[in-house]
């Protein structure tokens, strides 16, 4: 089942986690790396950002970021203390968000998206209403996110928050709730502007598209922190003397700027009959991506035969 965390970080001063009665349905999936500066004394009249708690408010956000092969548009976040929470998975919550989600990957999504609001000392889990049971490639949906807010939690100025999309052990996008904050987006960055064909006596490889990504589009999974992915879609054709060629991940290599090489991290092997073309083969190479980026020249090296010719494509990867 597809279920990923969308984490909202709010700078807050709350009662300690042990005394807030936070009931997490996602346990260790809370963002353990989130941080914020607290303000206020933590008394019953203090809230997020140091503003008096208790007032209803809505923040219009209308900012988008991409994770898991999905573009998530955070339309607004609202707090209404007069609404009584109905518990996890319930229909009512004082703290909600309106979102629009578009599947920009080539494959469909089955399951749901999980949301967590993370405070400095507490985290609250939320879920989509209605649930996203499935979303085909290219489709979009709208939903409300209901967050489980326990009694005693104070919510003040929502604009002091930032939305983190993804789990703490994954590459995360960021959407600030104020007007001036910068969105950290993880939308794919194209690495070629048109298809490129390489032909040898063994066959033909056509690189249809290549992009720097933070997600495995076929699996709708985010890559771990400190990594990025180079994902390509290729057409291949076996023009060799062999009636059938097994094409596997060890024949799809990438050469890094330090001249080391590695096989594809994600690849589905297939049989290639002589004279037949295989369309839109997906290959993904995971590369280290420390803070500041690892730009440079990366070279794809594709072989259709074990000892055959190498089809090469050099990619200039931006920071």
């Amino acid at each position: 089942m597809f279920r990923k965390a969308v984490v909202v970080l709010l700078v807050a001063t709350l009662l300690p986690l042990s005394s807030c009665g936070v009931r997490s349905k996602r346990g260790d999936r809370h963002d353990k790396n989130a941080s914020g500066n607290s303000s206020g004394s933590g008394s019953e009249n203090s809230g997020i950002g140091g503003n008096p708690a208790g007032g209803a408010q809505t923040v219009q956000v209308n900012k988008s970021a991409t994770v898991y092969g999905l573009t998530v548009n955070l339309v607004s976040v609202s707090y209404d203390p007069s609404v009584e929470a109905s518990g996890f998975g319930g229909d009512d919550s004082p703290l909600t968000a309106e979102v629009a989600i578009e599947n920009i990957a080539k494959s469909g999504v089955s399951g749901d998206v999980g949301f967590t609001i993370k405070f400095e000392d507490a985290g609250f889990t939320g879920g989509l209403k209605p649930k996203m049971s499935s979303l085909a490639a290219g489709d979009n949906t709208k939903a409300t996110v209901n967050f489980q807010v326990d009694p005693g939690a104070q919510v003040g100025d929502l604009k002091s928050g930032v939305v983190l999309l993804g789990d703490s052990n994954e590459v995360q996008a960021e959407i600030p709730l104020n007007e001036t904050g910068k969105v950290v987006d993880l939308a794919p960055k194209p690495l070629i502007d048109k298809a490129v064909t390489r032909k040898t006596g063994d066959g033909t490889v056509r690189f249809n598209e290549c992009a720097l990504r933070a997600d495995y589009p076929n699996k709708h999974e985010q890559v771990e922190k400190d990594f990025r992915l180079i994902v390509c879609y290729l057409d291949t054709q076996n023009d060799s003397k062999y009636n059938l060629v097994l094409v596997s991940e060890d024949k799809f290599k990438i050469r890094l700027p330090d001249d080391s090489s590695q096989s594809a991290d994600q690849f589905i092997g297939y049989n290639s009959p002589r004279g037949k073309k295989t369309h839109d083969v997906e290959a993904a190479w995971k590369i280290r991506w420390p803070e500041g980026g690892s730009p440079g020249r990366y070279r794809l090296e594709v072989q259709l035969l074990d000892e055959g010719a190498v089809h090469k494509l050099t990619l200039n990867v931006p920071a």
Side-chain angles (χ1 to χ4, degrees), residues 117-132:
I117 290 186
K118 179 65 181 180
F119 297 93
E120 183 179 7
D121 298 316
F124 299 141
T125 302
L128 294 173
K129 296 293 179 181
K131 292 185 180 298
M132 189 181 70

Side-chain angles (χ1 to χ4, degrees), residues 45 59 75 79 117 122 138 141 161 193 213 215 225 230 272 282:
N45 291 321
V59 175
V75 179
Y79 174 66
I117 290 186
T141 188
D193 56 8
R213 306 183 64 109
D215 64 282
K225 282 188 181 297
I230 292 177
S272 180
E282 181 184 297

Side-chain angles (χ1 to χ4, degrees), residues 17 24 28 38 54 57 65 78 102-104 127 135 148 160-161 165 180-181 184 208 234 236 256 281 294:
L17 181 61
S24 169
D28 293 337
S38 62
Q57 58 186 299
S78 298
E102 180 182 5
N103 182 4
I104 62 172
L135 192 64
Q148 183 188 10
S160 63
L165 310 183
T180 59
V184 178
N208 296 320
L234 314 91
T236 66
L256 281 62
V281 177
S294 294

Side-chain angles (χ1 to χ4, degrees), residues 153-166:
Q154 304 291 336
V155 178
D157 185 7
L158 295 177
K159 289 187 177 182
S160 63
V162 58
V163 178
L164 304 180
L165 310 183

Side-chain angles (χ1 to χ4, degrees), residues 12-23:
T13 299
L14 296 176
L15 297 174
L17 181 61
S18 60
S19 61
C20 283
V22 177
R23 297 186 299 274

Side-chain angles (χ1 to χ4, degrees), residues 198-270:
R198 297 288 188 262
K199 186 175 177 62
T200 70
D202 296 335
T204 303
V205 176
R206 185 177 190 265
F207 299 88
N208 296 320
E209 56 182 283
C210 294
L212 181 69
R213 306 183 64 109
D215 64 282
Y216 295 93
N218 186 51
K219 299 191 295 184
H220 288 276
E221 292 182 1
Q222 203 73 353
V223 73
E224 309 98 287
K225 282 188 181 297
D226 301 323
F227 287 93
R228 289 293 189 274
L229 294 167
I230 292 177
V231 180
C232 293
Y233 293 91
L234 314 91
D235 296 342
T236 66
Q237 181 170 310
N238 171 21
D239 295 327
S240 72
K241 63 182 180 180
Y242 299 102
N243 290 326
L244 194 67
V245 172
L246 173 62
V247 183
S248 54
E249 69 274 2
D250 60 319
K251 297 175 183 176
F252 282 66
K253 295 185 181 298
I254 188 168
R255 191 163 296 278
L256 281 62
D258 64 4
D259 205 39
S260 63
S261 66
Q262 61 190 56
S263 298
D265 180 64
Q266 176 179 293
F267 182 81
I268 299 176
Y270 62 95

Side-chain angles (χ1 to χ4, degrees), residues 277-301:
K277 183 177 289 186
T278 304
H279 294 279
D280 262 348
V281 177
E282 181 184 297
W285 296 267
K286 185 166 67 173
I287 59 176
R288 286 204 167 272
W289 199 262
E291 186 175 355
S294 294
R297 294 169 65 87
Y298 292 76
R299 189 172 73 230
L300 304 184
E301 300 177 349

